[in-house]
Amino acid sequence: MKPEELQAARDRVVPDVVAGGLRVLFCGINPSLMTGATGHHFAFPGNRFWPVLHLSGFTPRQLKPSEQSELLGYGLGITNVVARATARADELSAEEFRAGGQILTAKVKRLQPRWLAVVGITAYRTAFGERKAQVGPQDRNIGGARVWALPNPSGLNAHWTVQSMATEYGRLRSAVDSNPASRPSGDV
C-alpha cells in the first residue's frame, strides 16, 4: 500500500464486526491507518491479533483480517475504544479515550456480549478510570458484560510475545468456555 493511501485513511472510521449476544466482544484501542485503508480490523502486517486468537483456541485456524466477518460464527466480534484511525495510539487524547469508554459502555449494553475483552491495558485504564488495572479479569462489569483486559497485540508491544499473549487470551477463552450460558449480575 502506498504511503499516500495510508495517510488518506487518517480519521477514517471502520465498521464494527458485531452482533447481539456474542460470547466475547474484543475491543481494540483504535484502528491503525492500515485498518482504515483496508476496512479490516488488526490489518497491519506486524499486528499479532489474528495469530494469537488462533493459538489461544478462539478460532480453529488463523483467520486473515479480510475474513473478520467469520468471527461472528464463533460468537466473537470486534470494536474499538476510539473509532478514528491514526498512525499511533499516542495520537489520541485522554478525553477521546474517556468519551470512547462511554460509547463502548452503551454499545455493550445494546449488544449484550457475555465478555468484553479490552485489547490494551493502557486504553482500558484511561477509558474507564481504572489506573491500577492489570492484565486479566477485572472486578467490574461494563454494560452487563464481564471484563477482561488483554495485552495489546501490536508489534510495538515488545513486552509480550505471541506465545505469552496466546496464554493470556487462552485464560479468557477458558473462562468463557467454563460458564458458557451465564450473564453477570450487577453493572457499572
Side-chain angles (χ1 to χ4, degrees):
M1 184 156 300
K2 297 177 183 175
E4 56 272 13
E5 292 174 296
L6 288 176
Q7 286 306 314
R10 185 172 295 280
D11 297 325
R12 196 171 287 166
V13 174
V14 176
D16 294 337
V17 178
V18 296
L22 295 168
R23 292 169 49 223
V24 182
L25 178 59
F26 289 95
C27 180
I29 298 169
N30 76 305
S32 68
L33 294 181
M34 182 67 76
T35 290
T38 64
H40 302 128
H41 292 274
F42 300 103
F44 191 80
N47 194 293
R48 300 169 291 178
F49 178 79
W50 299 104
V52 167
L53 204 63
H54 169 63
L55 291 171
S56 63
F58 275 110
T59 60
R61 65 178 179 83
Q62 184 176 322
L63 300 176
K64 298 173 189 167
S66 62
E67 298 174 310
Q68 64 188 11
S69 64
E70 291 185 31
L71 290 175
L72 297 175
Y74 303 119
L76 309 173
I78 302 176
T79 189
N80 288 288
V81 175
V82 176
R84 72 182 184 93
T86 62
R88 296 178 51 99
D90 62 8
E91 295 176 38
L92 304 170
S93 69
E95 292 78 26
E96 284 179 284
F97 277 111
R98 286 190 289 275
Q102 293 174 348
I103 293 166
L104 179 59
T105 298
K107 189 178 298 185
V108 170
K109 284 180 182 177
R110 180 174 48 85
L111 295 171
Q112 299 186 344
R114 288 199 314 259
W115 285 88
L116 172 65
V118 181
V119 180
I121 187 66
T122 302
Y124 174 76
R125 289 174 182 154
T126 306
F128 297 103
E130 299 282 342
R131 292 183 185 160
K132 296 185 180 187
Q134 299 296 312
V135 167
Q138 304 303 303
D139 292 332
R140 69 184 292 177
N141 297 331
I142 293 176
R146 303 236 8 232
V147 179
W148 199 291
L150 291 168
N152 181 349
S154 166
L156 299 174
N157 182 1
H159 299 292
W160 290 80
T161 65
V162 167
Q163 193 53 55
S164 63
M165 280 190 283
T167 298
E168 186 61 31
Y169 282 55
R171 288 181 58 221
L172 167 61
R173 186 192 44 77
S174 294
V176 171
D177 291 347
S178 70
N179 202 353
S182 73
R183 292 221 23 100
S185 59
D187 254 344
V188 172

